[in-house]
Amino acid sequence: KERGPDAPRILFVTSDFHVFRARRVAQKEGVDARGLAAPTPWYMKPNNYLRETCVIWAYWLAGRL
């Protein structure tokens, strides 16, 4: 807040499976951010979403979300 406007507008770009966690981490840090999702190829979705689900649980258990 000391380095910028009172209500900065932030847009982050990340993979579609990662938007939820990135936004939650930003909220936890007090940043009002919006996500723009880049599409994941269909054949990578099962692995990426499974991995992301595990990481979300780990972040939640560690108090990072």
Side-chain angles (χ1 to χ4, degrees), residues 1 5-8 10 22-33:
K1 290 182 178 181
D6 291 335
I10 297 174
R23 180 136 194 252
R24 291 295 302 261
V25 169
Q27 287 175 338
K28 177 116 173 127
E29 295 297 322
V31 176
D32 183 22

Side-chain angles (χ1 to χ4, degrees), residues 1-64:
K1 290 182 178 181
E2 294 131 14
R3 291 182 274 160
D6 291 335
R9 297 175 126 185
I10 297 174
L11 175 69
F12 59 85
V13 179
T14 188
S15 301
D16 54 5
F17 64 91
H18 188 241
V19 171
F20 173 78
R21 180 167 47 116
R23 180 136 194 252
R24 291 295 302 261
V25 169
Q27 287 175 338
K28 177 116 173 127
E29 295 297 322
V31 176
D32 183 22
R34 302 287 185 258
L36 179 61
T40 298
W42 67 267
Y43 55 86
M44 294 180 70
K45 284 188 179 195
N47 179 58
N48 289 349
Y49 278 96
L50 177 62
R51 186 181 70 223
E52 188 66 13
T53 300
C54 293
V55 174
I56 287 170
W57 275 101
Y59 268 49
W60 182 74
L61 290 171
R64 295 176 68 184

